[in-house]
Amino acid sequence: PNHKIMLSSVEMSLLITACVTIFYQLAFFFVAAYFKFDIVTDLAGGSNFVVLAVLIFSLNSIPLHSPRQWSNTILVAVWGIRLSGFLLYRVVRFQKDNRFDNIREDFFKFLFFWIFQMFWVWIVSLPLTYLNSVDDSSRPNLNGADIAGIVMASTGIIVESWADQSKLSSKLDPLTSNLWCTDGLWKYSRHPNYFGELLFWWGIFISCSQSFYVSNNSAFYTIISPLFITMLLLGLSGMPILEKSANKKYKSNPKYKSYRSETSILIILPNFVYRNIHEVIKCIFLFEWPLYAEGLKDTADVVSPLTGTSD
């Protein structure tokens, strides 16, 4: 006998979002690879989030979407439109993205980046994909966790937008284009844009998780979304690379050393507070990890956060 494979609404949505993301990213990849330019790269990433959010929201056949589904879908759409628009403007303004200087001409290296971008979009979208795949109508009202998550996500958008604009303005100013940015939130965090992005995705997860009751809490696997973006920014392609680059470039500048010693690496804090926190506390709770000192080790004043002595 023939056995039909029946997929749940969530499984179907996961399959649809995977297929759409692969097709969407490959389409942009071939354009970028053929013309050998970077204009569409970040546009493809940010806009893909919007496409998945709106698509799964629209495909859900429930009679009435819940306030939780509306609010989180709108937040992700606003975040994606803002980010992709900003990054498109930036790459058009500067004509290229230096991240791709060593891989743009290599078809397979360039393709690997786009494959990674597929995983990034699909994985980070998981909480909203789940939320928009279920009938959330039995608990329609937003609760305290929803409000907290929505406030976190909204704050994240504001923080990331403000930080991005301040950094761009600093780069466009001839007086500061070759210096580290200390404008706006950058005075209180060395990576305020990443802090905003992490606030956003953890906030989205917290609110979306309030719908997990639909599947008897079996959807907690979607926590991989904020964990993945946290790992990416703190341990892989984000802060380690940028810190190493800045350390090598400015390590002989006393003003940079001062900025680095009194400015939190991620969480926005007043300088007088951060400079008076013990190094061990900074390492454990404020993410001031030893790997971020790479590029400074040939200087005499590099201090190990765990031992308080020079490396």
Side-chain angles (χ1 to χ4, degrees):
N2 293 326
H3 296 283
K4 294 183 178 179
I5 298 176
M6 301 296 292
L7 298 178
S8 69
S9 61
V10 174
E11 292 169 335
M12 182 61 72
S13 293
L14 293 176
L15 180 61
I16 290 172
T17 53
C19 292
V20 169
T21 299
I22 291 170
F23 175 81
Y24 195 81
Q25 294 300 318
L26 284 179
F28 277 100
F29 161 71
F30 285 116
V31 172
Y34 180 80
F35 291 104
K36 290 183 169 39
F37 61 28
D38 308 325
I39 294 175
V40 300
T41 307
D42 286 320
L43 174 65
S47 62
N48 202 157
F49 283 96
V50 182
V51 170
L52 298 188
V54 174
L55 176 63
I56 301 304
F57 181 88
S58 303
L59 290 178
N60 195 328
S61 59
I62 58 176
L64 188 66
H65 289 86
S66 70
R68 183 177 297 115
Q69 290 169 323
W70 275 105
S71 56
N72 283 280
T73 301
I74 290 171
L75 281 168
V76 170
V78 169
W79 177 85
I81 292 170
R82 200 287 311 177
L83 181 66
S84 56
F86 170 78
L87 295 177
L88 176 62
Y89 171 78
R90 188 179 69 178
V91 75
V92 169
R93 186 71 173 74
F94 292 107
Q95 293 299 305
K96 71 170 187 173
D97 189 329
N98 293 331
R99 292 177 300 167
F100 305 112
D101 285 348
N102 295 324
I103 66 173
R104 195 182 296 109
E105 303 296 326
D106 188 311
F107 181 88
F108 291 103
K109 286 184 179 180
F110 199 36
L111 176 61
F112 179 79
F113 167 84
W114 286 83
I115 292 173
F116 184 82
Q117 184 154 273
M118 294 175 195
F119 282 100
W120 170 60
V121 172
W122 188 79
I123 291 173
V124 177
S125 294
L126 283 175
L128 185 61
T129 298
Y130 172 84
L131 172 63
N132 281 340
S133 303
V134 301
D135 184 351
D136 190 36
S137 60
S138 62
R139 297 184 188 177
N141 296 325
L142 299 177
N143 59 32
D146 280 306
I147 300 301
I150 291 169
V151 169
M152 281 179 63
S154 301
T155 303
I157 292 176
I158 295 170
V159 169
E160 188 175 12
S161 302
W162 185 3
D164 282 343
Q165 189 56 49
S166 297
K167 182 72 170 290
L168 179 63
S169 298
S170 179
K171 287 294 183 183
L172 293 175
D173 187 340
L175 297 177
T176 57
S177 60
N178 291 319
L179 298 175
W180 61 96
C181 182
T182 57
D183 295 340
L185 297 175
W186 296 85
K187 183 177 180 180
Y188 309 106
S189 168
R190 306 206 300 273
H191 302 281
N193 53 337
Y194 290 166
F195 179 61
E197 185 160 352
L198 291 175
L199 269 182
F200 178 79
W201 287 114
W202 278 103
I204 292 295
F205 171 76
I206 289 171
S207 181
C208 289
S209 69
Q210 302 312 296
S211 67
F212 291 174
Y213 69 90
V214 177
S215 58
N216 296 317
N217 295 321
S218 66
F220 269 101
Y221 65 86
T222 62
I223 198 174
I224 192 177
S225 163
L227 288 176
F228 178 80
I229 195 67
T230 301
M231 177 192 70
L232 187 65
L233 297 181
L234 270 65
L236 294 177
S237 68
M239 285 159 44
I241 293 175
L242 294 176
E243 284 290 303
K244 179 180 178 181
S245 175
N247 291 343
K248 287 186 174 181
K249 188 174 183 179
Y250 305 118
K251 63 187 176 184
S252 60
N253 190 319
K255 291 183 178 180
Y256 173 72
K257 295 178 183 178
S258 176
Y259 169 75
R260 197 177 185 281
S261 67
E262 66 179 16
T263 308
S264 171
I265 190 167
L266 181 67
I267 299 172
I268 297 171
L269 288 173
N271 301 127
F272 74 89
V273 172
Y274 185 76
R275 76 167 68 99
N276 290 307
I277 297 175
H278 193 278
E279 298 300 325
V280 173
I281 303 300
K282 290 180 181 178
C283 179
I284 296 174
F285 296 105
L286 299 179
F287 309 104
E288 192 68 72
W289 298 337
L291 76 154
Y292 302 134
E294 188 172 354
L296 289 174
K297 291 187 176 181
D298 56 341
T299 59
D301 59 346
V302 177
V303 176
S304 169
L306 295 179
T307 65
T309 58
S310 297
D311 286 336

